Amino acid sequence: MKFVIQRDRLLASIQDVMKAISSRTAIPILTGMKIEAKEDGITLTGSDSDISIESFIPKEEDGIVYVEQIEPGSIVLQAKYFPEIVRKVPMNAVEIESDGQLNVTIRSGSAEFKLNGQDADEYPQLPKLHSEDSFELPADLFKNVIKETVFAVSTQETRPLLTGVNVRVQDDQLHFVATDSHRLASRQIPISAAFDFQNVVIPGKSLTELNKILDENQDPVEIRITNNQILFRTKHLYFLSRLLEGNYPDTSRLIPNESKTVLQIDTKELLRSIDRASLLAKENRNNVVKLVTQESGKLEISSNSPEVGRVVEEMSVEEISGEELRISFSAKYMMDALKVIESEQVKIEFTGAMRPFLIRPTDDEDLLQLITPVRTY
Amino acid sequence: MKFVIQRDRLLASIQDVMKAISSRTAIPILTGMKIEAKEDGITLTGSDSDISIESFIPKEEDGIVYVEQIEPGSIVLQAKYFPEIVRKVPMNAVEIESDGQLNVTIRSGSAEFKLNGQDADEYPQLPKLHSEDSFELPADLFKNVIKETVFAVSTQETRPLLTGVNVRVQDDQLHFVATDSHRLASRQIPISAAFDFQNVVIPGKSLTELNKILDENQDPVEIRITNNQILFRTKHLYFLSRLLEGNYPDTSRLIPNESKTVLQIDTKELLRSIDRASLLAKENRNNVVKLVTQESGKLEISSNSPEVGRVVEEMSVEEISGEELRISFSAKYMMDALKVIESEQVKIEFTGAMRPFLIRPTDDEDLLQLITPVRTY
């Protein structure tokens, strides 16, 4: 195998593929990165067996030559050293060559690295997905949906299904739901094409890594699903993740359909106020803040840490209606929810101090955040 | 005590003073920050007993009012929460008030924090330095001297004196020397005023923290020394450090005064080449690279990690003279030394493979870096 490649293009692909490579893996060869040279370009592969990523660098694209002097072949290189080497080579052209004895030479300018490679035949074959169940989303929309939901997945392995984001089709809408059973994030987007599609649960970690790799543009991401795997494909990227098995709980019944107190308030101002109220309770795991409606029509946000002190703040609201309210909740959950809302104002619907409440952007009915309050009295 | 202060000015002072405050200290009140209000302004104090920092915020300066409504008094506040509170208050004006029961209230806009303070009378008095031994250095020059030397101090407590930078006067020059016994950094600067001055050793940590606080400008830093303490004073800052006790070793005899091989080479190119050569040996503590002069008049820089592979690179030099040379040394030491040299070219003087070698900027005879080679054959 041999080729000469543009450093920056190679480095970008390496960084994508590294997202799937872990130094802790039961299969030693997976600590390496597979490099495969074919006539039309170079493919890099990384995998931790949960996630597998392939990135393709075409020989030439849009009139720009990325790879030259290709002699087909493949090799696996230790991922621990390869990215740093490519980042630090002296010239923009990098030559990578392997001989029959798995010796790899990386040359750039007058610098030469000789590395021990591994046999690419020993690298696991990635499964090829044969599935007709596919649909497309623009990358920027998909990134947004991930951001709006994935933070709410559970980090505890006691209920493995909750560490994933549930995706299902209903009423010509694609529904994304994540919950750790204390809070829930839900986003729906309309779909135009009719297709037959299962209810699946995608590991939160896979979506987080995918979000780091996808560019913020409108290029389509093709999504293909089988029983136990999901593939995300863009022009030069192939991102495969296992799916979580089991029946995701029906979360629709958690969402109250009546409300007793309704607020409309500035999103950023509320976020900053909750942030301040939480300052003294940082080490407190629950980090509880209290919200109380005032006769003046304002809100009081407060928090009390007996050892340290007390914070209290009065906030103006845009609109308030319904019953008086005293409610306590996790500052972290509230901030997580508010941070992903871009709308200037949010509407918050409460159904008493003991029931979950809903946060929605005022300009977007398809995003919903739910938080279960904390009982303090 | 009461005053209203500009948030940004307060925050800048807090950040300086925090450099002296440690959450791990044998004296509990030192985890706090002392705040003292007088008619002319506010003084913040932090200390970990090795380093003490006072920062003064004048009531008014250059026509700008920083503090208003001052009612004199003092209090100690928990340093763990105070900086974050000030950073996140909603308005630029912050009111800080303490009552007779050590209750502190911080108000800004409609936000109010109530904190438990501690009695300022229990805070240790900082020693006042009565010393005639003082001199001044421009802040930017002093920062540079710190940067050029402090990285070479020892991090091991087995020889405590070597964890400091030695400062002494000789031949109308101020000498700064740091060594961990494997490498040495030395900078001298001419002094104009004649003064009586001891040979002192300043803890490296104190200089590192001071460097973070000093602004990059030509304002004078006044330096005052007693037997066991050193004071650095700028217009509004008072930085006190203990000195290390003992006789710093005479390092002048370590510096060879002859040389057998002399190189002149591009500083940044050499740095990058050593960096590349060290890539495969990262986990190797010694991280040794080899430098060999070539008949062609070039240099070969190489490194070998049996498990991983080998790097070799040929470098052009500006000038080379003297004997052939094969020498091995720590890549880290070489990079540390080269990083603080701003000159485009460096001169390296070797006296054989077993003797320490010298690195100097070509345009500055007053900075010297010495590295002891590693014996490999």
Side-chain angles (χ1 to χ4, degrees), chain A residues 261-263 265 270 334 346-350 357-359:
Chain A
T261 314
V262 181
L263 289 180
I265 195 164
L270 180 60
M334 185 57 129
V346 284
K347 190 170 148 192
I348 311 185
E349 293 165 78
F350 299 93
F357 58 93
L358 301 179
I359 308 159

Side-chain angles (χ1 to χ4, degrees), chain A residues 83-115:
Chain A
E84 276 299 284
I85 290 173
V86 173
R87 181 173 295 117
K88 292 187 173 170
V89 294
M91 309 296 278
N92 195 31
V94 185
E95 181 187 306
I96 301 182
E97 183 175 8
S98 71
D99 65 13
Q101 275 75 48
L102 305 175
N103 300 311
V104 181
T105 307
I106 303 175
R107 286 186 201 92
S108 177
S110 59
E112 187 178 281
F113 296 79
K114 289 194 174 289
L115 299 173

Side-chain angles (χ1 to χ4, degrees), chain A residues 326-344:
Chain A
R326 300 170 71 84
I327 191 168
S328 296
F329 49 83
S330 152
K332 180 182 184 304
Y333 288 173
M334 185 57 129
M335 289 195 283
D336 284 350
L338 292 173
K339 274 178 196 163
V340 301
I341 296 180
E342 277 161 27
S343 160
E344 226 173 84

Side-chain angles (χ1 to χ4, degrees), chain A residues 12-25:
Chain A
S13 276
I14 289 176
Q15 281 162 343
D16 287 350
V17 168
M18 283 302 288
K19 301 280 190 298
I21 300 180
S22 162
S23 54
R24 291 162 301 170
T25 163

Side-chain angles (χ1 to χ4, degrees), chain A residues 80-81 84-85 88-90 110-116 275-276 279-280 282-283 306-314, chain B residues 80-81 84-85 88-90 110-116 275-276 279-280 282-283 306-314:
Chain A
K80 194 164 163 186
Y81 302 101
E84 276 299 284
I85 290 173
K88 292 187 173 170
V89 294
S110 59
E112 187 178 281
F113 296 79
K114 289 194 174 289
L115 299 173
N116 309 322
D275 190 11
R276 281 190 287 271
L279 279 179
L280 302 187
K282 269 196 174 164
E283 259 128 86
E307 300 277 296
V308 189
R310 184 176 147 75
V311 194
V312 60
E313 180 162 352
E314 219 179 49
Chain B
K80 194 163 161 187
Y81 302 101
E84 275 301 282
I85 290 174
K88 292 187 172 170
V89 294
S110 60
E112 186 179 282
F113 295 78
K114 289 195 174 287
L115 299 173
N116 309 322
D275 189 11
R276 281 190 287 271
L279 280 178
L280 301 187
K282 268 195 176 164
E283 258 129 85
E307 300 277 296
V308 189
R310 183 176 148 76
V311 194
V312 60
E313 180 162 352
E314 219 177 48

